[in-house]
Amino acid sequence: MTQSIPPGLQESSDVIETASGGTSQEWMPFEQVKLYTNAFVLQDNKILLGYKKRGLGKDLYNGFGGKVEPGETSAEAAVRELQEEAGITATLRHCGVLFFTVTDIPYAFHVDVYIASEYSGTIIETEEMRPQWFSATQSTSEMDVTPEFLPIPYETMWTDDPFWLPLLIQGRPFVGRVDFGSDNCMQKWWFAEIPSSPDA
Ligand SMILES: Nc1[nH]c(=O)nc2c1ncn2[C@H]1C[C@H](O)[C@@H](COP(=O)(O)OP(=O)(O)OP(=O)(O)O)O1
């Protein structure tokens, strides 16, 4: 299935497409790639999201992350951003790669997505993010297990999130690409799961 992997994502012989759609036109070209991180804490059937108070994705809920700074690895940046934006420290596991282009932005976004099941420190609201726990249960029959938490607010998140966040919650590694129009609507998209090897 390597032929279906969009440009910008690493070739892999072993992916299972989970969703694709949009225009039949070619993927958007890009001149440069900027590295970003996005980290989620998942604990006891609940997921920690942050309401973004400024910058890219303002007024949307998301994980905690930002640009990888020069001299830093993506994993180091992910730990730093989680600390800066939510006040906590965690051992993060890489769980996915997202690749975005936006009309009229000459560079593409490569986002390494991380997950943690434990953290240390106290979750705090910061200048950039207002953290909040949401229920991470998948089915309505499970809903009453954590009734004190609201369901994931997909209507107040990036439009691509419903395609891959359920995979992240289930611990299933994923890759995906979205080309956004200038109106921030998804023009073309492709998502896949990367099955873990039997001995992993
Ligand atoms: N389509 C999309 N869907 C998604 O779920 N997250 C996205 C996204 N496009 C970008 N992101 C994430 C990646 C990253 O975690 C965040 C953007 O990072 P920021 O702009 O907040 O970076 P920085 O915190 O480095 O910025 P500054 O602090 O303003 O310098 O939004």
Side-chain angles (χ1 to χ4, degrees), residues 37 52 56 62 65-67 81 100 128 158 160-161 164 180:
T37 65
K52 191 125 190 275
L56 187 64
N62 205 343
K67 290 183 218 67
E81 290 279 355
F100 303 121
E128 193 160 340
W158 289 89
D160 52 283
D161 293 8
W164 53 266
F180 288 94

Side-chain angles (χ1 to χ4, degrees), residues 36-40 52 54-57 61-69 80-81 84-85 98 100 109 111 128-129 157-161 164 178 180:
Y36 286 80
T37 65
N38 199 354
F40 295 82
K52 191 125 190 275
R54 62 159 202 228
L56 187 64
Y61 286 96
N62 205 343
F64 302 86
K67 290 183 218 67
V68 179
E69 300 293 345
R80 174 184 54 73
E81 290 279 355
E84 283 175 8
E85 295 185 354
L98 296 168
F100 303 121
F109 299 76
V111 185
E128 193 160 340
M129 284 288 210
M157 298 177 76
W158 289 89
T159 44
D160 52 283
D161 293 8
W164 53 266
V178 183
F180 288 94

